[in-house]
Amino acid sequence: MEYTLLENIKITRPILFLCGPYYNKNNKSDRRLILQEKIYEIHKNKFLPLVIDDFLTEKNIKDDTIDIQLMEEICAAVSAQTYIFLDTMSSAAELGIFANSAFFNKIKVYIPKKSDIYNKSNVGYFVRDVVLMKHSDKIECLEYRPAVERNAIATDYILEYYKFVNNQLPKNIEDDIRNDEIFNESDEHFIEYLDSNMMPDNAYQICYQIRNNKIDVNISIKILFYITISVISIEYKNDIKEKNFSVFDINKIIEQVKSIIINSLSEKTNKDLNTIDEININTVSKHKIEKIIQHIVKFAHIYYLYSQFHSVYLMEKPIGKILRKIEVGNHPYTLLQLSDSQLDLLQDINNNKDKYYEKIVIEKNKKKRKIIKYINNNDGDNAKKIHEYILKKIYSYYRFNGNSYAYQKGKSIKECVNKHIEGKSFIKYDIKNFFESIKEENLYKCLVYIFGIDKRFIGALKRIFNSCFYENTLPLGLTLSPVLSDMYLKKFDDTISRQLEEKGITYSRYADDIMISSKEIIDEKLYHEINKMVTDELVKVNLILNVKKSVFVTFNSKCNFIRYVGVNIVQGINGNYLSVGKKYIYSIAKEYLKYMDKVNVLNSELSSESDEELEELKKNVFYRRMTIIGKVSFLKQIEGDKGCKRLKKRLEKYVDIDLEKI
């Protein structure tokens, strides 16, 4: 399973680090343990307070491959807030490490008495002049009245240990952790992606640059930490209990982390970055990302094995919602093999539709229909060429449903209608305003389904196929419109075909015309069941039926018929047969007679037409001839020689026709 970063990550258990002089892990006087218990008591459902010395000890980290300084740098970057009891040189050093880290959040410094600290040799100067003054915006000091334990080591040397009075957290500190704004901050953080070669300004920025098939990514250690921890939680939930660190496949974890970062950037940029040759991921640290990830894994492992708080471990009670599962699919740019120049052209078409297309209105059968066509110039030609290129690529991948017959080479109307030749009952549907009802966003969902497109890259689909839409609808007239309309109903076809086949019922679709038939009589109950099935599936893609054109017919006598995509299925004595119908024969005959009249005028030696009129007449004759050839071809396809004889018989009293010489 692949993962990507959530756009809004949620750190449900931010880590707080508690630092200071190490006293005794099992001693109830240890101020860090007292503070830890109180924070957990007050904010146990939200924050995870960790005493660093509880688990990140020299003994536990002892490993030639582990860099103590890098581990401290990671802690500084990860900490939502750090608490430091400042009263020794060692605690001053811890403060310096955290404060001088490239990324650190707020630090709370608890001081027994400022004057006492400041007056101490070395410690005072370092704290006052190097740390506190430099980072006064992020470091807050809070004084408290301590109890002091003094142990004489020698006659001239006394060790002082600071404790809380009666081992109780001072009221001002308790008030501080109750009212601190850090505990009221939102646990959600928006991940910001910047096209930049700079390092992030904050922990939740990811900067990137893509150049010459190479990508450079700059990311914070904090985000890297949470991604890595999430991977461990998924892949090593059971192995984490093993003491041997070798159970972790560090190289595999590194690749998984990189994959998540790249998947996230791919989603944001709508580019398939997995195909890029070179990927460099960097942080502010001098250390390489591979080294940092190794140390984060080590941190998680040590925490589980040695921390007194391991029962609140991130794997059992997740510290955040960082990742989202994704099904990695194809990227449309890669799938359709589109170059940068082709993508630029598509983008320009998207932005300037009227530069490439023009709107015309045609009238057919007394109905006006709006058509969008490519403008007859270089721009229009370029738009048509890029659409033809995409169409070619689509056909190389796309597999039509076997019951869909339109817009395909090798499939015919006769084949579509002939599926139902043995039918007894028929249901015919027409989809209302089919092309006009195809919405862009719904089309993208269909393309995701068909091509296995990664859902993250719908933006890339839009860049390609927005060029096929005009005034928010899929128009008639553009090269890609027919195949896209079929793809829009691919899932519908798959679902309806399967459900009807289970009932022994035949289904076919030709564009927006649907036919359903059965060799057995379909009763009213089954009819309503089928009707609901079709209606419900169409609703899923925001389509509805044209109720006025819906037909339900059962053959019960000779000459019963149903017309589907211009062809009649007729009940005959010896079974059903196909026919174009009388009206179609009449229309061919009528068109042929008009054609012959024009031919006679053209051939007449008495013609007095001008050159312009003569050219126009030639065009008229040519187009009428093409129309007749097309209609006769369809007649032959459906009825064969029988149809030709019917046409000849219709014309024989007017003219002697040779269909082969038209």
Side-chain angles (χ1 to χ4, degrees), residues 111-251:
I111 303 178
K113 194 175 181 181
K114 283 186 180 180
S115 60
D116 288 350
I117 299 298
Y118 288 168
N119 290 331
K120 283 191 177 182
S121 177
N122 299 324
V123 179
Y125 170 78
F126 178 79
V127 171
R128 184 185 65 241
D129 298 339
V130 178
V131 180
L132 298 183
M133 288 182 64
K134 183 179 177 182
H135 302 292
S136 59
D137 60 325
K138 282 193 171 184
I139 299 177
E140 181 182 345
C141 292
L142 188 67
E143 289 187 77
Y144 67 98
R145 184 180 297 275
V148 182
E149 181 179 317
R150 294 181 174 88
N151 295 322
I153 305 300
T155 55
D156 59 345
Y157 185 62
I158 298 175
L159 284 179
E160 291 185 345
Y161 295 96
Y162 291 97
K163 304 189 297 183
F164 292 141
V165 177
N166 298 323
N167 293 331
Q168 296 293 312
L169 193 70
K171 188 176 185 305
N172 64 328
I173 294 181
E174 182 174 341
D175 290 342
D176 184 54
I177 64 172
R178 287 186 182 277
N179 303 318
D180 193 337
E181 62 183 17
I182 187 73
F183 298 111
N184 296 317
E185 290 179 357
S186 173
D187 56 4
E188 290 193 6
H189 305 273
F190 178 76
I191 300 294
E192 183 183 13
Y193 298 86
L194 297 177
D195 187 352
S196 168
N197 63 357
M198 302 295 288
M199 280 293 168
D201 289 332
N202 63 68
Y204 303 103
Q205 277 184 353
I206 297 176
C207 298
Y208 67 92
Q209 278 204 319
I210 305 169
R211 299 285 187 275
N212 301 321
N213 212 33
K214 171 186 173 183
I215 180 169
D216 291 307
V217 181
N218 297 328
I219 191 171
S220 72
I221 292 177
K222 190 168 191 173
I223 289 297
L224 197 61
F225 175 89
Y226 281 112
I227 293 173
T228 305
I229 292 297
S230 297
V231 170
I232 298 170
S233 301
I234 296 165
E235 300 291 337
Y236 295 92
K237 190 170 184 177
N238 297 321
D239 298 330
I240 195 74
K241 300 175 183 179
E242 297 291 331
K243 286 194 174 183
N244 191 346
F245 188 63
S246 64
V247 298
F248 298 98
D249 188 337
I250 300 298
N251 290 328

Side-chain angles (χ1 to χ4, degrees), residues 10-114:
K10 191 172 184 179
I11 312 297
T12 54
R13 300 190 68 81
I15 296 174
L16 308 173
F17 283 113
L18 282 55
C19 309
Y22 185 72
Y23 187 62
N24 189 327
K25 187 174 187 176
N26 299 313
N27 193 316
K28 294 181 180 181
S29 298
D30 192 324
R31 289 165 295 169
R32 287 170 300 165
L33 295 179
I34 295 169
L35 179 63
Q36 182 187 49
E37 289 174 5
K38 183 58 69 174
I39 292 175
Y40 188 65
E41 176 190 324
I42 298 173
H43 305 290
K44 64 180 178 181
N45 294 321
K46 188 169 182 178
F47 283 79
L48 187 59
L50 303 179
V51 177
I52 288 186
D53 292 344
D54 179 29
F55 62 102
L56 284 178
T57 63
E58 187 175 352
K59 177 184 176 183
N60 295 339
I61 297 178
K62 194 174 182 180
D63 188 324
D64 292 339
T65 65
I66 298 300
D67 186 318
I68 299 294
Q69 187 177 354
L70 175 55
M71 190 67 81
E72 290 172 337
E73 189 177 348
I74 290 169
C75 291
V78 169
S79 180
Q81 184 158 274
T82 302
Y83 297 83
I84 298 178
F85 290 96
L86 182 61
D87 45 47
T88 65
M89 189 61 194
S90 64
S91 59
E94 281 188 296
L95 173 60
I97 291 169
F98 274 85
N100 291 310
S101 179
F103 270 125
F104 74 94
N105 291 297
K106 293 180 180 180
I107 297 176
K108 284 292 181 76
V109 177
Y110 294 142
I111 303 178
K113 194 175 181 181
K114 283 186 180 180

Side-chain angles (χ1 to χ4, degrees), residues 370-420:
K370 181 177 70 177
I371 303 292
I372 304 302
K373 65 184 290 286
Y374 302 98
I375 291 178
N376 189 25
N377 59 21
N378 286 337
D379 289 328
D381 290 344
N382 288 334
K384 187 175 183 180
K385 285 178 182 176
I386 187 66
H387 283 171
E388 288 173 343
Y389 173 84
I390 293 172
L391 182 66
K392 185 178 179 181
K393 292 296 180 182
I394 286 175
Y395 275 128
S396 67
Y397 291 105
Y398 181 46
R399 298 294 176 264
F400 289 82
N401 182 280
N403 295 315
S404 173
Y405 287 84
Y407 321 124
Q408 301 174 63
K409 291 181 179 179
K411 282 193 172 184
S412 66
I413 286 178
K414 182 178 181 179
E415 185 181 353
C416 177
V417 181
N418 212 48
K419 279 180 68 79
H420 307 278

Side-chain angles (χ1 to χ4, degrees), residues 537-548:
E537 289 301 317
L538 285 176
V539 167
K540 292 179 181 179
V541 286
N542 290 342
L543 296 176
I544 60 173
L545 295 173
N546 189 339
V547 179
K548 293 181 179 179

Side-chain angles (χ1 to χ4, degrees), residues 554-610:
T554 296
F555 287 174
N556 51 32
S557 64
K558 180 184 174 183
C559 295
N560 282 166
F561 75 94
I562 186 168
R563 191 166 183 81
Y564 175 48
V565 290
V567 180
N568 293 336
I569 302 174
V570 186
Q571 183 178 16
I573 298 174
N574 300 316
N576 298 341
Y577 62 91
L578 304 184
S579 171
V580 297
K582 289 182 180 180
K583 287 185 179 180
Y584 192 81
I585 298 288
Y586 292 167
S587 70
I588 301 175
K590 187 177 179 181
E591 191 68 36
Y592 185 78
L593 293 175
K594 288 181 179 179
Y595 164 74
M596 290 305 302
D597 286 343
K598 296 294 182 182
V599 170
N600 291 333
V601 172
L602 186 63
N603 295 334
S604 175
E605 294 181 358
L606 301 175
S607 177
S608 59
E609 279 85 352
S610 64

